[in-house]
């Protein structure tokens, strides 16, 4: 449509006039952003409508990805790239004196997720559309996404992130498609013509209104839909009689309590807290999503007996696991189906991904809370449980312990992982090691009972955001070398390997990295008021702050380097800039304390002239998707140092390798598959294996005091933490100290310290041979195609969902 920049400029100026009522001279940056956003929406609307029509007419089998989180970040840039109009818009804007990047930077991140799980959902959306799969997202339109992080005096402070303050140009409200979700109340049973009928009464109705966001495929005509639900009060649900009787406050309070459902994303990853509002959100999502799917399906007036032939529903972790009893409820109570038929349809429709083995992340709800919030759903879960326990009894007669361990309802709790496994036809882990651990340990009983359900789907990331969009200079070089085919078939990146010994390409690669580092240094300068040396190694750890991810191990190594340099300022090491970005869950005090520790270390080190600028420590505040896109292209070293067995997969590791950083990592999650791909010469690994870790957990044999007493370096550092060495209040880091020494170092930080220091020394040596180093970067880039979410989505499509790319034929 925008065949040239002239056409674009005209269209844009018209839009500005019609939407904002302004000429360019009068327009504010926000006017420009919004008008341009609307123009993009217009541009895509035809394909969006056509895609919907195609799916309807062809009756293609479709997948719906249910997730509490979609960590989208910014959309404008990705839309432009996928539509192939970024250049023409950029040129047109230039003529008008507008800088496209500045316009793009006005967009607030859609931070509707915590971390890996939410970002994975967003990458999957991009791959589904780009590969022409009929696949949509179903989530919640949280008014407040992930909090905004400020660092004040070294401490994390959380502010609400009101991303919807300005108009959200990418969404379309579809009031006509609203559905009602019911909470609380009672269930009355009645026998009608010999059949039990259930009436849900005295419930609290909540209106779920969908907001649709287009998901635009790359260089194709597919525009899928991400449907985000908003909780509202139906006008006719206002209790007008009591309103007129002066019960104004009660009505307003009711409105507030309804709207609370889609107010905020719980800023917690990997820690389950049994809050009712969270359970309400989970049911709200699945009930609204399923009702809308069934409604669409029935428009074709096909019998629901074939639902599973046309619809696949995927649940992203257990958060949407209530989809199982909710689908049963709709089929039985609303459609009059019998239990057995409803169960076979449900268990042929739903599939489930597990993202964690951390016990504290497993969702379980107290029966009394569950029952009073969702009385009918509880009855159904109870029935599922009883039937399942019956099956268990047949297989394991007399083994009460096993039956209790596997039951959905036990010890006063509803266990969501059990429900998810029993009600799905597929259960997958997110990296080979993770799936193996699930089968061997965490879900051993279930694997024994349903071996055919278990499978692995190693995570991936969309190379269109994390390479093509985030790192245009590198993308251009790759295109110059191997053409553009890799954009559609990312495994084609392997052709870049041919250039591993081409010194002119290596030099260009090195230059691109350096330029990206300069850009990152500017961000650091602006935010942290610190100058960093772009010839230093940029060593980066960006991810949620969690004990198992071991930012603390990184901090210990920094302290160690510092101590070495103070002892010998002429020490021959490559200068380093250690960069961190991380949000800690607001109630996770230990994690917040580590942020304070890192900032205290930074304060101590950055101003110490004796170091001659060989060491800098930077904590970048408010880590989020858009910041990650700015950071990752400038990384030399990617820190992936979780305690083996704890990180299900990791996806940051993939983003870094794709941008030519070298991983320093443990044998955990997808690091192991990265090692397989690039070979041991192109990655630096260290530390305990998952087996060793699990053996220590199960059989003991680790004593952190022994390590402490035998390693002077550790002793020194830990004393520095608790003395007045660091610029922090006395006693500030006692808890950290105690976690390592008096709580036996649950995550083996001290145990892995020496191997980590050795690994870091290897990095230092490798970097000194710059040509060789750049070669390693190139090899990493070339092998990163297998970690594209296109590969992952193709596997899900073929092996789990049984869906095919849509073709118009
Ligand atoms: C549960 C109940 C109540 C409140 C919050 C939660 C909750 C929210 C988010 C529990 C867990 C999460 C997120 C988990 C997560 O992000 N896991 C990561 O998933 C990635 C994608 O598969 C993996 O790469 C990471 O290894 C894994 O940690």
């Amino acid at each position: 449509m925008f065949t040239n920049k002239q056409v674009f400029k005209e269209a844009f100026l018209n839009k500005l006039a019609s939407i904002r009522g302004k000429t360019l001279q009068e327009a504010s940056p926000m006017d420009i952003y919004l008008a341009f956003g609307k123009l993009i929406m217009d541009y895509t609307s035809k394909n969006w409508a056509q895609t919907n029509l195609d799916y309807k007419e062809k009756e293609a089998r479709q997948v719906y990805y249910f997730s509490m989180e979609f960590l989208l970040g910014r959309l404008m840039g990705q839309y432009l790239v996928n539509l192939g109009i970024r250049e023409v818009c950029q040129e047109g804007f230039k003529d008008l004196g507008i800088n496209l990047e500045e316009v793009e930077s006005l967009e607030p991140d859609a931070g509707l997720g915590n971390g890996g799980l939410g970002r994975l959902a967003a990458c999957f959306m991009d791959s589904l559309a780009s590969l022409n799969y009929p696949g949509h997202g179903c989530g919640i339109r949280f008014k407040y996404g992930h909090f905004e992080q400020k660092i004040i005096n070294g401490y994390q402070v959380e502010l609400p992130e009101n991303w919807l303050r300005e108009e959200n140009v990418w969404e379309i409200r579809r009031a006509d498609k609203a559905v009602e979700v019911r909470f609380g109340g009672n269930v009355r049973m009645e026998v009608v013509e010999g059949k039990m009928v259930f009436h849900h009464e005295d419930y609290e109705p909540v209106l779920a209104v969908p907001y649709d966001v287009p998901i635009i495929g790359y260089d194709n005509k597919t525009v899928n839909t991400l449907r985000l639900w908003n909780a509202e009060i139906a006008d006719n649900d206002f209790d007008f009689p009591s309103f007129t009787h002066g019960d104004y406050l009660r009505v307003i309070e009711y409105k507030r309590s309804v709207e609370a459902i889609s107010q905020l994303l719980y800023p917690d990853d990997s820690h389950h807290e049994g809050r009712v509002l969270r359970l309400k959100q989970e049911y709200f999502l699945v009930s609204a999503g399923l009702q809308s799917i069934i409604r669409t399906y029935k428009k074709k007036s096909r019998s629901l007996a074939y639902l599973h032939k046309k619809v696949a529903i995927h649940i992203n972790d257990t958060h949407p696991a209530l989809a199982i009893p909710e689908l049963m409820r709709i089929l039985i109570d609303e459609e009059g189906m019998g239990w057995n038929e409803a169960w076979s349809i449900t268990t042929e429709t739903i599939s489930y991904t597990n993202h964690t083995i951390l016990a504290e992340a497993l969702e379980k709800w107290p029966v009394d809370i569950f029952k009073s919030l969702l009385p009918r759903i509880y009855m159904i879960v109870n029935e599922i449980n009883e039937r399942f326990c019956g099956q268990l009894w047949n297989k394991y007669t007399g083994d009460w312990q096993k039956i209790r361990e596997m039951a959905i309802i036990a010890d006063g709790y509803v266990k969501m992982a059990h429900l998810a496994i029993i009600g799905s036809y597929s259960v997958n882990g997110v990296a080979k090691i993770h799936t193996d651990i699930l089968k061997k340990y965490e879900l051993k009983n279930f694997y024994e009972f349903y071996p055919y359900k278990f499978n692995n789907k190693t995570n991936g990331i969309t190379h269109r955001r994390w390479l093509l969009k985030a790192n245009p200079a590198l993308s251009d070089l790759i295109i110059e070398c191997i053409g553009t085919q890799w954009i559609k078939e990312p495994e084609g990146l392997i052709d870049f390997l041919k250039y591993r010994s081409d010194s002119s390409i290596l030099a260009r690669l090195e230059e691109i990295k350096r330029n990206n580092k300069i850009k990152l240094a500017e961000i650091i300068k602006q935010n942290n008021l610190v100058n960093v040396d772009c010839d230093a190694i940029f060593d980066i750890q960006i991810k949620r702050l969690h004990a198992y991810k071991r930012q603390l191990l990184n901090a210990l190594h920094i302290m160690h380097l510092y101590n070495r340099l103070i002892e010998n300022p002429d020490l021959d090491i490559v200068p380093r800039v250690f960069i961190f970005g991380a949000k800690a869950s607001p109630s996770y005090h230990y994690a917040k304390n580590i942020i304070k520790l890192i900032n205290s270390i930074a304060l101590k080190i950055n101003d110490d002239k004796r170091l001659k600028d060989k060491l800098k420590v930077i904590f970048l505040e408010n880590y989020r998707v858009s910041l990650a896109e700015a950071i990752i292209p400038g990384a030399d070293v990617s820190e992936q140092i979780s305690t083996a067995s704890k990180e299900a997969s990791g996806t940051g590791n993939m983003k870094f390798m794709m941008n030519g950083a070298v991983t320093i990592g443990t044998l955990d999650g997808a690091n192991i598959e990265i090692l397989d791909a690039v070979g041991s010469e192109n990655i630096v690994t260290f530390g305990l294996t998952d087996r060793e870790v699990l053996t220590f957990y199960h059989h003991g044999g680790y004593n952190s005091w022994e390590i402490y007493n035998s390693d002077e370096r550790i002793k020194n550092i830990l004393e520095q933490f608790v003395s007045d060495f660091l610029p922090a209040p006395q006693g500030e880091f006692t808890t950290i100290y105690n976690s390592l020494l008096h709580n036996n170092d649950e995550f083996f930080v001290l145990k892995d310290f020496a191997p980590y220091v050795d690994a870091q020394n290897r990095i230092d040596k490798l970097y000194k041979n710059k040509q060789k180093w750049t070669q390693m970067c190139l090899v990493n880039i070339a092998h990163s195609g297998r970690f594209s979410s296109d590969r992952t989505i193709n596997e899900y499509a073929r092996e789990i969902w049984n869906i095919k790319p849509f073709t118009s034929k």
Side-chain angles (χ1 to χ4, degrees), residues 69 114-118 120 266 268-273 278 282 319 355 361 363 430 459 548-549 647-651:
E69 308 192 2
N114 276 290
L117 166 150
L120 186 75
Y266 276 98
D268 239 313
D269 68 339
S270 59
H271 193 263
H272 164 74
E273 251 188 290
R278 168 80 184 189
E282 296 185 356
H319 317 153
H355 294 267
E363 289 192 293
V430 291
N459 283 166
Y548 84 80
K549 296 180 188 280
E647 190 69 273
S649 159
T651 44

Side-chain angles (χ1 to χ4, degrees), residues 796-809:
Y796 275 88
R798 286 189 204 121
E799 297 163 22
I800 299 180
W801 300 329
N802 187 25
I803 55 167
K804 300 199 166 38
F806 181 87
T807 47
S808 41
K809 279 169 268 147

Side-chain angles (χ1 to χ4, degrees), residues 82 172 207 268 303 313 332 334 423 454 498 513 540 625 637 709 736 750:
N82 285 9
I172 294 186
L207 195 67
D268 239 313
S303 156
I313 291 171
I332 294 170
E334 293 184 10
F454 284 73
K498 282 190 288 216
K513 179 63 76 183
I540 307 186
V625 174
V637 173
N709 284 319
I736 293 174
L750 301 190

Side-chain angles (χ1 to χ4, degrees), residues 418-596:
H418 299 192
L419 174 63
I421 297 166
I422 294 159
S424 305
Y425 65 88
S426 166
V427 176
N428 75 281
V430 291
K432 279 181 194 148
I433 182 185
H434 171 58
T435 303
D436 287 344
I437 291 174
L438 290 179
K439 291 201 231 175
K440 243 198 255 156
Y441 304 96
E442 306 304 312
L443 301 178
K444 183 167 187 282
N445 286 338
F446 286 100
Y447 178 55
E448 245 174 55
F449 196 75
Y450 298 122
Y452 51 90
K453 288 193 184 185
F454 284 73
N455 64 93
N456 176 249
K457 296 287 167 284
T458 298
N459 283 166
I461 55 165
T462 170
H463 58 291
R464 284 170 294 271
R465 178 177 292 258
W466 297 105
L467 177 52
L468 193 59
K469 169 171 176 287
N471 201 341
L474 177 56
S475 302
D476 286 347
L477 178 67
I478 297 172
I479 289 169
E480 205 184 303
C481 292
I482 64 169
T484 56
Q485 194 56 27
W486 62 273
I487 304 173
K488 296 216 168 187
E489 287 164 20
E491 306 212 21
L493 279 170
I494 201 70
D495 292 344
F496 197 38
L497 260 193
K498 282 190 288 216
Y499 297 85
R500 67 187 298 172
S501 304
D502 182 328
S503 53
S504 83
I505 293 300
L506 289 174
R508 303 249 317 266
L509 193 56
E510 195 179 322
E511 188 193 333
I512 288 167
K513 179 63 76 183
R514 195 155 194 294
N515 287 334
N516 289 333
K517 286 165 77 173
I518 291 172
K519 282 196 198 149
L520 177 51
E522 280 161 14
I523 295 176
I524 291 171
K525 172 84 193 159
Q526 265 192 2
N527 288 280
N528 298 53
L529 310 174
V530 177
N531 286 312
V532 297
D533 169 9
C534 289
D535 291 319
I537 297 175
F538 280 23
D539 179 315
I540 307 186
Q541 186 170 22
I542 44 175
K543 50 182 78 254
R544 283 302 288 267
L545 204 314
H546 202 292
Y548 84 80
K549 296 180 188 280
R550 297 199 298 191
Q551 281 92 352
L552 182 56
L553 179 58
N554 191 342
L556 288 185
H557 168 250
I558 295 170
M559 288 294 291
H560 166 63
L561 267 189
Y562 172 82
N563 290 337
R564 279 176 75 197
L565 278 167
I566 292 299
E567 208 173 281
N568 173 13
D570 297 321
L571 193 71
D572 177 28
I573 59 159
V574 183
R576 287 243 197 171
V577 181
F578 291 96
I579 300 166
F580 293 86
K583 287 178 179 172
S585 173
S587 60
Y588 190 176
H589 301 287
Y590 184 80
K592 291 170 93 167
N593 199 213
I594 288 180
I595 292 179
K596 175 66 178 171

